[in-house]
Structures are given as C-alpha cells and as structure tokens.
Amino acid sequence: QIDLTDEQKAAFDKLTALSKSGKPAVSLLYGVTGSGKTSVYMSVIDKVLDDGKNVIVMVPEIGLTPQTISLFCKRYGGKIAVFHSALSMRERLDQWKRVRNGEASIIIGTRSAVFAPVDNIGLIIIDEEQEHTYKSEQTPRYDAIDVAKYRASYNKCLLLLASATPSVESYAAAQSGRYELCTLTKRYGN
C-alpha cells in the first residue's frame, strides 16, 4: 500500500473511477516535479491488476527504462515484460512470448511497447507525454500516443498522460474538457 497525500488521493480516486467506468477515457495527470505522479499511477495500476486487467507503461527513452524497471520489479516482481530498442531480437521474442502467453500483466518500454501483444488492457500510461520521442521518424512512421488512444478506445480503458510539462495540445484538451485533468501542485514530502 502506497501512502498518498490528500491531493494524490483525490487524483487517484478520479483516475480509478475513470478506469472502472468501462468507457474509453483520456486523462492528463499534471504535476510539478517531485509531486508523486508515479505513486499515483502505481496505485491506479494496483486497482487495474486487482480487476484482472493488463497495463502498458511507456517512458520516452531507454535511459529512463532501467530506473522504471527497477521500481516496478520491486513492486510487481515477475509480472513485468520490457520492450525497447536495446534488446536483442532473442530478448524481444522472449518478452513477446511472455506477454502473449499471459505471463506478464505489466508491459514497460519505449514507444514500441504500445504494440505489445496484450489483450484485456485496463490502463495505458504515457509518462512525460510531451516528449518528441513518442513519434517515430523511421518508416513506418507513427505516433505512439495516437496508437495508444486507439488501443484505449478499442479496450474501453483509461489512457493516462503524465507530465510536469504537458504538451500544449494535451493541456488545451484538458482545459476544454476533452480530457480529464488531475493536478498535483505540491511536492511530495519535504
């Protein structure tokens, strides 16, 4: 159990309600650096896993992947599968098979993780959603956020965009009510 501040708890309650609604939804979790966005979305992940659904977590670059994997391994153990470009073809195939066989319920990786062969998705998280690395410059070109929106709609689940500096598009969509907006204005702890 993660201890959440009142502000984090309010965001968690809103996001949990969206994830349980059975309708596709997009939410922006906008929080200052150090506000505990990760704690909020890990708490939501716990609820989604309790409901027997799977989760995709995307990070913008391979450099962030080891710390994210370490954090998730401590909490979820062998339930995670990892997808990023630094894996060998053999390692990628092993991860793909683990997901396909239902051995992993949390997929973590860079933009390619959005294509993981996972069914019954209950939550897709895009951390640091403003980063340009979610757009592939190689052929075939794609925007991982657009693919995530499609997968969230298809699976009738929550797409959670998280950032301390959201893109203008995401913030405008949240301000206009197209996306739900959860804000964390205070740093966690001292």
Side-chain angles (χ1 to χ4, degrees), residues 3 13 17 24 26-27 31 35 37 44 46 56 69 81 88 103 117 138 156:
D3 287 331
D13 290 342
V26 180
S27 183
S35 60
K37 292 180 292 296
V44 177
D46 291 345
I56 297 174
I69 292 168
S88 69
E103 296 167 28
Q138 300 167 346
K156 296 179 178 57

Side-chain angles (χ1 to χ4, degrees), residues 39-61:
S39 297
V40 172
Y41 68 64
M42 285 182 106
S43 296
V44 177
I45 288 170
D46 291 345
K47 290 293 183 194
V48 170
L49 293 176
D50 287 347
D51 290 340
K53 297 195 178 245
N54 299 306
V55 178
I56 297 174
V57 180
M58 291 192 290
V59 294
E61 57 185 84

Side-chain angles (χ1 to χ4, degrees), residues 51 73 81-82 88 95 142 149 161 164 181 183:
D51 290 340
C73 277
V82 181
S88 69
Q95 295 298 310
Y142 66 93
K149 284 177 186 171
L161 307 173
L181 178 62
T183 52

Side-chain angles (χ1 to χ4, degrees), residues 28-151:
L28 174 63
L29 179 58
Y30 175 28
V32 297
T33 302
S35 60
K37 292 180 292 296
T38 305
S39 297
V40 172
Y41 68 64
M42 285 182 106
S43 296
V44 177
I45 288 170
D46 291 345
K47 290 293 183 194
V48 170
L49 293 176
D50 287 347
D51 290 340
K53 297 195 178 245
N54 299 306
V55 178
I56 297 174
V57 180
M58 291 192 290
V59 294
E61 57 185 84
I62 297 169
L64 293 175
T65 309
Q67 70 190 51
T68 305
I69 292 168
S70 169
L71 189 65
F72 276 77
C73 277
K74 282 182 192 150
R75 187 158 182 86
Y76 303 107
K79 291 183 183 176
I80 68 168
V82 181
F83 287 87
H84 58 75
S85 60
L87 297 177
S88 69
M89 287 304 269
R90 180 82 209 146
E91 290 168 321
R92 270 185 231 196
L93 181 61
D94 289 345
Q95 295 298 310
W96 190 91
K97 285 179 181 175
R98 287 188 63 240
V99 172
R100 195 82 212 115
N101 295 335
E103 296 167 28
S105 47
I106 302 172
I107 292 85
I108 301 171
T110 52
R111 68 176 172 252
S112 63
V114 78
F115 295 112
V118 62
D119 298 317
N120 195 25
I121 301 170
L123 175 65
I124 301 172
I125 298 170
I126 301 181
D127 199 22
E128 302 300 335
E129 64 86 25
Q130 80 285 355
E131 291 291 332
H132 72 280
T133 54
Y134 288 117
K135 292 181 180 168
S136 172
E137 297 298 323
Q138 300 167 346
T139 305
R141 291 175 187 239
Y142 66 93
D143 183 335
I145 295 175
D146 288 342
V147 177
K149 284 177 186 171
Y150 174 81
R151 290 198 81 179

